[in-house]
């Protein structure tokens, strides 16, 4: 289902193509219409620095596309999972206002020859950015189709020269209790920071991606500003947001949802319609489409990204869930 364009037709869609009826209505007036996004979303991206906006605006190459309709930005930016800002779907957009993602640094450490700290500005300005339209399938059985702008994960990891002892990559989200109300919740069942991990070969797969933007704009806070992982063949919780730490390790690292409910959420978490969640089926999903349409559609193995199958050829995916 994933469609790749040939060189001659791979330029990104102008931002205006993502405009949809609901956003125009939301925008309520010519001013909001010219900014292409609703006022609420604009508020959450307004402080993105010029170097970031410039880089995103000058991204002209789209390397992965799909025939599926792109989800309204209205839905992708208001129906979120980001427990640092609360557990309700609209908590992230409502509670993100105090979080300032700029400036930002990522520390890369562990089993590599060149550990170090990289500023987001250095990473973004020195990297080749591209747009990729990916399906995102949440373990809760809803899905969206999102145009991300970003950088292939492998190109960041390579800079730090992981050595042969590195078997996994561990990722960590920022902890900022003053700005993230979910981290102040005494009853939270999540131990902060939110952590995730990939096997080295998964992390170096060309589809593994770091997003810095969506719909041709800097990432809104509720979607993981200023930089988040996107691993389209795995359930959405693997796509960790607001990353500050990356570590090359030799053991499978702990992951937040596996720590919270090990029987329900495994380390691999590949999208798999053949393995039900203990409490619900994964055979179908609710797809948020264009113009607010929600359809029930069949779920595909690896979310349709069959090119990753080789990574798991010797594994029983029902055991390694
Ligand atoms: N990253 C952090 N740090 N905290 C979270 O709560 N939620 C995950 C993932 N990344 C989460 C996170 C889950 S469950 C999903 S489905 C996706 O983010 C949702 O991404 P979206 O809100 O951009 O759709």
């Amino acid at each position: 289902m994933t469609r790749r364009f040939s060189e001659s037709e791979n330029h990104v869609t102008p931002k205006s193509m993502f405009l949809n009826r609901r956003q125009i209505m939301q925008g309520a007036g010519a001013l909001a219409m010219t900014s292409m996004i609703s006022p609420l979303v604009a508020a959450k991206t307004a402080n993105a620095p010029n170097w970031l906006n410039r880089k995103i605006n000058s991204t002209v190459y789209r390397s992965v596309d799909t025939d599926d309709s792109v989800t309204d930005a209205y839905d992708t930016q208001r129906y979120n999972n980001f427990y640092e800002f609360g557990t309700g779907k609209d908590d992230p957009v409502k509670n993100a206002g105090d979080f300032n993602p700029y400036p930002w640094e990522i520390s890369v450490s562990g089993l590599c020859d060149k550990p170090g700290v990289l500023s987001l500005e250095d990473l973004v300005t020195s990297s080749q950015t591209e747009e990729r339209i990916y399906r995102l399938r949440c373990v809760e059985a809803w899905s969206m189709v999102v145009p991300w702008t970003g950088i292939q994960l492998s190109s960041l990891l390579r800079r730090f020269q992981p050595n042969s002892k590195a078997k996994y990559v561990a990722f960590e989200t920022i902890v900022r209790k003053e700005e993230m109300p979910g981290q102040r919740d005494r009853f939270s069942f999540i131990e902060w920071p939110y952590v995730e991990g990939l096997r080295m070969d998964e992390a170096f797969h060309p589809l593994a991606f770091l997003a810095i933007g969506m719909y041709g704009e800097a990432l809104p806070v509720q979607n993981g500003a200023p930089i988040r992982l996107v691993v389209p063949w795995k359930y959405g919780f693997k796509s960790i947001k607001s990353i500050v730490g990356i570590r090359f390790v030799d053991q499978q690292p702990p992951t937040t949802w596996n720590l919270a409910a090990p029987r329900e959420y495994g380390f691999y978490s590949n999208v798999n319609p053949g393995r039900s969640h203990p409490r619900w089926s994964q055979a179908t999903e609710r797809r948020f489409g264009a113009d607010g349409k929600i359809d029930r559609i069949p779920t595909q193995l690896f979310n349709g990204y069959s090119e990753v199958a080789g990574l798991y050829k010797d594994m029983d995916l029902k055991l390694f869930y």
Side-chain angles (χ1 to χ4, degrees), residues 80-84 136 138 173 194 223 228 236-237 239 241:
N80 298 102
N81 280 330
F82 200 170
Y83 277 40
E84 285 84 340
L136 175 86
C138 178
T173 294
Y194 190 102
N223 294 92
R228 55 101 46 100
F237 64 83
S239 292
K241 297 176 170 179

Side-chain angles (χ1 to χ4, degrees), residues 79 81 83 89 136-144 194 196 231-239 257-258 261 263-266 268-273 275-286 296 299 303 321:
Y79 188 91
N81 280 330
Y83 277 40
K89 292 286 182 271
L136 175 86
R137 168 58 156 88
C138 178
V139 74
E140 298 162 339
W142 53 264
S143 64
M144 297 186 175
Y194 190 102
E196 257 305 334
V231 195
W233 70 95
K234 291 179 178 286
Y235 291 122
F237 64 83
K238 299 292 290 182
S239 292
W257 282 98
N258 180 249
R263 244 174 36 82
E264 302 195 1
Y265 309 105
Y268 284 95
S269 302
N270 292 312
V271 175
N272 186 352
R275 186 183 187 281
S276 297
H277 182 278
R279 290 182 282 127
W280 59 84
S281 163
Q282 295 290 24
T284 63
E285 63 203 53
R286 266 187 320 127
R296 175 69 63 182
T299 289
N303 204 18
Y321 60 89

Side-chain angles (χ1 to χ4, degrees), residues 71 150 177 216 254 265 297:
T71 304
K177 289 194 173 23
Y265 309 105
I297 60 169

